[in-house]
Amino acid sequence: MPDLSPLCALGAATPRRVTHGALTLTETPECGLASLALRRDTPPPALDLPGPGRWQAADGLTLIWTGPGQWLVELPGAAETDVAATLVKKVPGASITEQTDGWVLIEIASSAGAAPIERFLERAANIDQARFGPGSATRSPIEHLGTYVLRRAEDRLGIWGMRSAAESLWHALDTIAGRLDSRG
Amino acid sequence: MNRLSGGMIDRNQTIHFTFNGKRYQGHPGDTLASALLANGVQLVGRSFKYHRPRGIVAAGSEEPNALVTLREGARAEPNTRATMAELYDGLVARSQNHVGPLNFDLLAVNDLLSPFFAAGFYYKTFMWPRAFWEKLYEPAIRRAAGLGELSELPDPDAYDRGYLHADLLVIGAGPAGLAAALAAGRAGAKVILADEDFRLGGRLLAESDLLDGAPATEWIEAVKAELESLPNVRILTRTVIFGVYDHGIYGAVERVSDHLPTPGGAVRQTLWRIVAKRAVLAAGATERHIPFADNDRPGIMLAGAMRAYANRWATGPGTSAPVAIFTNNDDGHRTALDLMARGVPVAAVIDARRGVERQGDYRLLPEAEVVGTQGRLGLHSITVRTSRGSDTLQVGALGVAGGWNPNVHLASHHRGRPVWDERSLAFVPGQGGPGGLIPAGACGGKGSTAEALADGLRAATEALAELGLTAPALPLPQAEARQDNTAPIWHVPGKRRAWVDFQNDVTVKDIALAHKENMRPVEHLKRWTTLGMATDQGKTANVTALAVMAELTGKTIPQTGTTIFRPPYTGVSMGVLGGGDTGAHFRPRRLTPTHHWAKANGATFVEVGPWMRAQYFVRPGETHWRHSVDREVLAVRAGVGLCDVTTLGKVDVQGADATLFLDRLYANAMASLKVGMVRYGLMLREDGSAYDDGTCARLAEDHYVVTTTTANAGPVYRNMEFARQCLWPELDVQLISTTDAWAQIAVAGPKSRELLSRLVDGFDLSNEAFPFMACAPLTICGGLRARLFRISFSGELAYELAVPARYGHALMARLMEAGADLGATPYGTEALGVLRIEKGHAAGAELNGQTTGQMIGLGKMVSSKKDAIGNIMSRREGLAAEKRLLVGLQPVNATDTVVPGSHLFAQGAPRDLAHDQGWITSAAYSPHVGSSIGLAFLEDGANRMGEVIAAANPLQGSEVAVRVVPSHFVDPEGGRLRA
């Protein structure tokens, strides 16, 4: 272990968490992230790869479709490890780039089912919720910031945003959740 | 309060409000307008130009007159329509546009001067002296003619935005809209029903007609209950659909808290972007008036509005005196009947048509016209001309019924042209409007309740069929099916002024003058007279104006022109359009990994695009930014400095063809770059101009990291993606940005190697093992994965050390701690700039899109042995013949300042464009040189070393004599960075 102490994207030693009514927002620094792009003329890996607009969990990984032949791969709990090296073993011959520190993950959970999540999402992103059930993932701007939004479950979202703008993204999401709570 | 029977107000609760400081009472369900009328207030404002006393004209969003300033202090909102302001306890409203009290406006003198204030008056009158316009004329005119005033205080309220998706958007919740929403809701479509009112029902709320033999409210409540029970239907009241945009996107504003004293923790308004596959436009119709002499007095209203106030709000038109109706259609008679049924005395119905008959027990004056009115602050009497002569009627109010104009506005938003319907004497939506928008009901010319209900169902059925859904059988209630039989009587000719557009004080005479001045196309008419402008956008005026113009030209109305509309349908506040945040969070910002460290260590920050970068670090005793910057620069030159350079763009490039890809992208050769080495690279635009510079590090045979300037990190990545996907899709290349992933810190200065040696885990930093322009992965601080690049922007021995971003903060602290005895000093963007100017490195000021590789002294880098983006174009005559070259400048008098942006002239040459020899791109005080220095593009610069030229700054009237020197002020041989 290096003798340096890391900071979370929101600038503190410990992740930030806030609850507004039924919604809880949690900064999640422990999730590792890597990009995976298949090279030309290499056989597809033995992974169940999701198609456009979808994410898929398999073999301890969560794969998020990001473009033709491209995925982001979540490695839960692996942020402190060399995620690219881990992934190379599973997908040899692919182009893999460590992305853990390029992004901030904010998990949003509802304690009252899908409704608060849907009300939150309709204020956060221009996403047709009729086509955004669990298993869906899409790239969407939120308050001018590029993000990936994952519908992890009826009552849970995961939002990946750029690390350097973590403070602005958190402010945007926190404000939306706070205002929904004030509306009752 | 003087209330009639019935109505949809909650008489169990009394709420208080003030108008111009006087206290009044109303009930929940009232608007400010209905409550004012119930309290006998007819005079509510002064007109725009002539300061004529004005009253409430309408009962909806078309109101042209009753504009008030609502609320106080920072929340004061001018130009609020009293007809749309829901009454709440404690509401405070003030009238507008008067000097002195409302009933004695000193600027009413304008009305006496009205012969001088005809349309076009300003254009012709205030022409000279020219200098008077800005200082005298314009302020005086703005004071005299205008609407409300802004508080000029920051808006204390919050606004937000949201996105909704629907199969069917139903715009308007009157009979057509409710029928459409119910049909679509039952069919299982995802429906949004929006209405600007706070109650569903639309015009049904204003009428006394029965549906299936029962009050209409029973049917409305039943439909509302069913719609609310359907999970696929969403009802948005207090929501105006203000515009139709491309691809079925509708703009909407929901007035979330405008009906409350303050929003509390909620937002005031929400801007909704609604994406709808289809939309039913059930926006209803707006009644028009009939201009006649002095038709603008308080108490003169639209007849349909008078009926609405009586039926829905249980109030007469603000007077206990009898009321008259002036009409050209049967609908005016309907108003008379409803008023009488509620106990309002009706003096007469004046019908301009021939051969009409009474429909009830009232005095009918057929073939008659109102030709004059009397009453200074409110209507006292009217003069009526009948076939038997003139008569004067003592009345306190007059309802005017001139027919109904369908609300075609949204159907016009994609330049859809309304078409003239001779049967209803109105414009109805035509072809060519927004795709997927289906008009229904009164806005489509189907104005009776029975027609509107059926047409709403028809429109929904059509929309559902297009969506592949089947409309259910929907039994519709029995409803009235009257036709108005409107006659084409558009105004009453006369010598006195007859208002067409109340809000802009435009009269029939003004239109005649426009005609006389040849402002005949309706577009010219509008701009010449200001007709149809401002908050009501001519909802009650436009068609009447067209009719008057048609009469003057001897053409038909459709021949004269059509009137179309642009968004927004009603006024939309800038606050809600801006949405989101103000202040610090107005736009997103990006923070470097060492931001918090820098903040704790005295940094002043500067915005660099979205980034916040440390500009310089102030130490105790430093009173001027130059003290800090000079110290930082000298520290780098003498010891070691640390600068967060994370903001430079980083792109990870992999793939079997990565080398070929980069060789085509960079103007210089990249194919020969060895693994473990870095090369400076220049990218050109397709036109051959210099675009961006940076480094390219080869980490493996098929793996590179490209860096870009901070400003171009996004554009270069985008261009690379374009090249990958579109220009050379056959290449096996994969790209991804890693800008944020790595915290990168420049460690620069003669002691940088010594400092780094204290952090690396057994890595050989010797010049032999890790020479200038080397790169390598390594570990530091006991196993942290890192990347080291031996590159220099300052001209000193320097490195850039990259670690996962989460460790940036700790790395900076560790470098400072480990380098304390070496004089380790953090430096910001100012010192970074001074260092690079001293070294003669080009940056954004030199790479401004108008310069070439040759100009910045890198012409030889543009390879002629290969093709790359821009290489061939850079050799075209216009660029190759460019003689301006990057040089250094030093002031002849060492205390003079070199000013960037100054233009260069040979000594003695005229200071004009013909003799301009270049310009200064960058300048700074160089503590190393001991004077101000600059970089400049100078004509034939290579051959002018030592020459003294003039740097002219005509904007500030200054000029400095400067000597031309090489652009490298520091270590021109480059020995330091290779040390």
Side-chain angles (χ1 to χ4, degrees), chain B residues 597 617 619 631-643 745-759 794 796-801 812 814-828 831 835 976:
Chain B
W597 184 90
F617 295 79
R619 285 199 177 164
R631 171 183 51 75
E632 291 171 15
V633 170
L634 291 172
V636 173
R637 297 263 179 246
V640 57
L642 306 168
C643 183
I745 295 176
V747 184
K751 295 178 182 170
S752 56
R753 180 183 286 123
E754 171 61 25
L755 173 54
L756 281 178
S757 70
R758 299 174 184 183
L759 267 70
S794 58
E796 300 297 330
L797 169 68
Y799 301 83
E800 288 185 15
L801 178 60
M812 191 63 145
R814 177 62 54 83
L815 283 164
M816 285 296 293
E817 184 191 329
D821 60 317
L822 305 174
T825 302
Y827 64 100
L835 291 163
R976 293 189 188 190

Side-chain angles (χ1 to χ4, degrees), chain B residues 157 227 308 526 571 607 672 862 934-935 965:
Chain B
D157 293 327
L227 292 175
K526 174 173 177 168
E607 287 185 16
S672 54
V862 181
L935 297 176
V965 296

